Amino acid sequence: QWCARGRTPRAPRMVVYGGIHLLAEDDDDDLFGQRKSTDRVTAPTSVYLPPRRAWFSLYNQRVTVPVSPAEAARRRKLGLIQRALSDDVMLEIFKRMSPVAVARAACSCRPWRLLATHEDIWERAALDAWSGREPPEVTARVCRDRYHDSWRRMFLDRVRMRTEGLYVSRNTYIKAGMTDLTTENVNPVHMVCYYRYFRFFGTGEFYCKTSPHKLESVAKTFRDRRSAAVDPNMYYGWYSIADVESREESRDESRDESRLHLECAPVERLSVADGRRSCAALHMWLRLRSTHPGGSNRLDFVKLASVDEAEPVPAPTAEEWAEIDDPEMAYRRSCGINVRRYVGHARVRELSRGLNTMVFVPWEDVHDHVLNQGVDKMDFFVTG
């Protein structure tokens, strides 16, 4: 019939209605009323007409869930970020924040103060704090046995070595100056000021340095490990719990974790007595304590000694550990009282100067801390 009319046969077109395929009638007009050309064969076309669904009208629309009047009144008192994010989302954000940031956020409002007491937040912080010293299984066992399975209580009561800043001590003493009255700018006495800096890492390593420069200038070197490695005045070593060395089992959980032993890498020195060269290592014993829950912000010097190789290490006695708890002794050390003479030619040399208590300074406070003041504004610095 098509050939008799002089028409060119065309391929059938197909229309899809809700997934049902129907063949369209073969006429000269297409589905949209447009005239097709009769001199060529067109490709088959397919059109999908979706059925109506009730939930299609909800796309790109904000639906308000009905709540009670009391809940609506409570939400009106919340801030914008609290209304936009649920408690589950805020909990995940708090778990990725530092403990200091969580404590600051808890001071802003009551909902965040209650959220900051969640155990999941402090579990992650506790595992990170003691990850370099013990495996997670030991940390979980200590939390269960000693702190009644409360991660937050363990983080606040158990001392830890902080790694997000520096431990700094400021040491001053008076030195005799010029007494000739014929010259100008006579200064009969001098106030000498120097600092001891310590930075600890979670791997058991530490950097230390004694310098006359202030905190804000030295912190740049300590923060960059490459700059600290090329500094000729920088010492590095390892630290551990002091009581572990006197026990057979190093994983004994009843040991005093506040007593630390620091050992620097041996360095070569020239003997004053006979002029020969030997290697000596610097040993330090410190007591870690807190001035507020979760602080771990004080390091008290117990003993400082430089020991030649093949010589026994003079560990502090029980009486020397007990003297640290005497506040009068700490004041005398800060003022330079009861300083013993340094014997440089001895095989074991104990130092009694520069043993002031060290204060922890976070990285964000190194420029504004009180330790940056010179001797013209602050002569002695006594810690609490």
Side-chain angles (χ1 to χ4, degrees):
Q1 182 180 0
W2 289 347
C3 296
R5 295 181 182 180
R7 298 182 181 179
T8 304
R10 295 183 301 173
R13 288 165 297 168
M14 186 168 49
V15 183
V16 181
Y17 291 97
I20 301 177
H21 300 268
L22 299 176
L23 293 178
E25 295 181 358
D26 185 33
D27 52 5
D28 295 337
D29 296 337
D30 64 351
L31 295 177
F32 304 98
Q34 298 180 358
R35 192 74 177 178
K36 288 291 185 178
S37 177
T38 59
D39 56 353
R40 60 186 179 87
V41 179
T42 59
T45 59
S46 176
V47 179
Y48 177 72
L49 300 179
R52 292 186 56 82
R53 296 290 187 266
W55 54 84
F56 283 177
S57 60
L58 300 180
Y59 287 168
N60 298 327
Q61 300 292 330
R62 178 174 294 182
V63 180
T64 303
V65 180
V67 295
S68 62
E71 181 67 17
R74 187 188 69 85
R75 291 186 178 183
R76 284 194 296 268
K77 297 180 181 179
L78 299 177
L80 178 60
I81 187 173
Q82 296 171 349
R83 293 196 301 266
L85 301 179
S86 62
D87 292 342
D88 296 337
V89 177
M90 290 304 304
L91 178 61
E92 294 297 328
I93 296 175
F94 274 35
K95 288 168 62 176
R96 289 160 175 79
M97 293 166 55
S98 63
V100 177
V102 173
R104 291 174 179 174
C107 299
S108 60
C109 59
R110 182 179 296 177
W112 282 6
R113 180 174 63 84
L114 298 177
L115 185 62
T117 60
H118 202 282
E119 289 294 328
D120 291 347
I121 300 174
W122 301 104
E123 178 182 2
R124 184 166 183 170
L127 293 177
D128 294 342
W130 289 283
S131 60
R133 194 175 68 184
E134 59 191 17
E137 297 80 10
V138 177
T139 307
R141 186 169 64 252
V142 172
C143 178
R144 182 183 65 251
D145 299 341
R146 296 169 53 182
Y147 299 98
H148 305 285
D149 208 10
S150 176
W151 294 98
R152 181 172 177 268
R153 178 51 52 191
M154 183 180 70
F155 189 87
L156 296 178
D157 295 347
R158 189 183 183 188
V159 292
R160 70 189 190 281
M161 190 60 68
R162 301 182 62 175
T163 59
E164 69 275 14
L166 295 176
Y167 286 90
V168 188
S169 69
R170 186 178 186 269
N171 306 273
T172 54
Y173 65 93
I174 298 176
K175 181 181 179 180
M178 186 180 299
T179 58
D180 189 4
L181 301 179
T182 60
T183 59
E184 298 180 356
N185 300 326
V186 176
N187 193 0
V189 293
H190 294 281
M191 178 71 73
V192 181
C193 178
Y194 63 97
Y195 303 86
R196 293 189 187 274
Y197 300 98
F198 284 79
R199 183 189 178 183
F200 296 90
F201 298 92
T203 57
E205 301 175 283
F206 75 92
Y207 289 159
C208 66
K209 181 180 180 180
T210 302
S211 173
H213 302 289
K214 296 181 180 179
L215 173 63
E216 55 183 355
S217 59
V218 178
K220 301 178 182 178
T221 305
F222 275 90
R223 198 161 189 175
D224 185 9
R225 300 193 66 170
R226 181 177 299 179
S227 301
V230 299
D231 192 346
N233 299 322
M234 189 76 66
Y235 289 86
Y236 68 94
W238 305 268
Y239 67 93
S240 61
I241 299 176
D243 286 356
V244 172
E245 303 171 358
S246 60
R247 297 178 181 268
E248 296 180 357
E249 297 182 0
S250 60
R251 292 189 177 182
D252 185 9
E253 299 169 2
S254 62
R255 62 185 184 270
D256 189 357
E257 298 179 348
S258 63
R259 299 183 179 185
L260 303 176
H261 177 211
L262 282 64
E263 180 180 359
C264 295
V267 295
E268 189 178 8
R269 65 179 297 270
L270 181 63
S271 178
V272 181
D274 50 7
R276 63 183 183 87
R277 295 184 177 273
S278 62
C279 292
L282 190 64
H283 292 263
M284 293 165 281
W285 290 267
L286 303 100
R287 196 270 305 270
L288 179 63
R289 60 184 176 91
S290 304
T291 58
H292 57 272
S296 298
N297 54 350
R298 295 291 187 272
L299 274 177
D300 299 321
F301 264 103
V302 180
K303 198 172 186 178
L304 176 62
S306 178
V307 183
D308 290 346
E309 56 182 354
E311 292 292 331
V313 178
T317 61
E319 291 76 11
E320 292 177 332
W321 285 108
E323 288 180 355
I324 302 302
D325 297 327
D326 187 5
E328 183 179 355
M329 179 62 65
Y331 177 76
R332 290 183 177 182
R333 282 185 174 183
S334 63
C335 298
I337 304 176
N338 298 335
V339 175
R340 297 185 300 271
R341 183 180 179 181
Y342 176 74
V343 183
H345 57 82
R347 304 281 293 179
V348 178
R349 299 162 297 278
E350 296 188 11
L351 291 82
S352 59
R353 190 187 298 274
L355 302 182
N356 287 358
T357 300
M358 289 188 289
V359 180
F360 180 77
V361 182
W363 295 121
E364 58 268 18
D365 297 339
V366 294
H367 297 286
D368 303 328
H369 203 269
V370 68
L371 289 174
N372 289 315
Q373 297 183 4
V375 294
D376 54 339
K377 297 182 179 180
M378 181 175 59
D379 48 3
F380 294 101
F381 179 72
V382 181
T383 60

